[in-house]
Amino acid sequence: MQFEAQQRLDQNEYQQADDQIVLSAEKPAGRLTVERRDHEIRCVEVALLPAHRNIGIGTFLIRQLQDEAKLANKPLRLGVIRFSRAVSLFERLGFVRTSETGTHFQMEWLPGQKPDR
């Protein structure tokens, strides 16, 4: 039920999202969903299978989006569950928290900000 509810939300909120399977060594490693809007690039979801976490794939994907945002001169924005270990990854890559709810942080990276490389 939770999966179906999330899919309905994504379909309503992110109608132009590009949904991709992330491959590592030609095998599925996760999923990346991005919506490119006039005023922002929105990372809707980056999810990696447990065996593919903490080996640099997530960092690589986010850095690619940062490069794209820099070329387009648009902010890169995302939402993340506030207790996720990914929060520290995003902060290390230069994202700042712009708002929060009881469950999520909204985060943003602006062109011109330098992520730690």
Side-chain angles (χ1 to χ4, degrees), residues 2-3 19 37 40-41 44 62 79 84 88 100 103 116:
Q2 183 178 359
F3 175 75
D19 198 12
R37 298 175 173 178
E40 71 176 357
I41 296 175
V44 177
I62 296 301
S84 171
S88 62
E100 62 184 87
T103 59
D116 297 337

Side-chain angles (χ1 to χ4, degrees), residues 65-74 109 111:
L65 291 175
Q66 287 173 315
D67 289 344
E68 180 182 342
K70 186 174 182 179
L71 284 173
N73 196 31
K74 295 179 182 179
W109 179 87

Side-chain angles (χ1 to χ4, degrees), residues 11-24:
Q11 287 171 352
N12 291 333
E13 184 72 24
Y14 306 109
Q15 295 180 2
Q16 302 300 316
D18 181 22
D19 198 12
Q20 301 174 0
I21 300 295
V22 175
L23 300 176
S24 179

Side-chain angles (χ1 to χ4, degrees), residues 80-113:
V80 60
I81 295 173
R82 64 185 303 145
F83 302 110
S84 171
R85 293 184 306 187
V87 172
S88 62
L89 167 67
F90 298 132
E91 290 176 335
R92 183 171 47 83
L93 293 175
F95 283 79
V96 296
R97 299 175 194 178
T98 57
S99 67
E100 62 184 87
T101 66
T103 59
H104 287 76
F105 293 129
Q106 292 301 311
M107 301 184 82
E108 176 181 74
W109 179 87
L110 299 172
Q113 287 181 224

Side-chain angles (χ1 to χ4, degrees), residues 37-51:
R37 298 175 173 178
D38 290 339
H39 64 285
E40 71 176 357
I41 296 175
R42 170 68 62 167
C43 179
V44 177
E45 180 177 33
V46 58
L48 297 171
L49 296 169

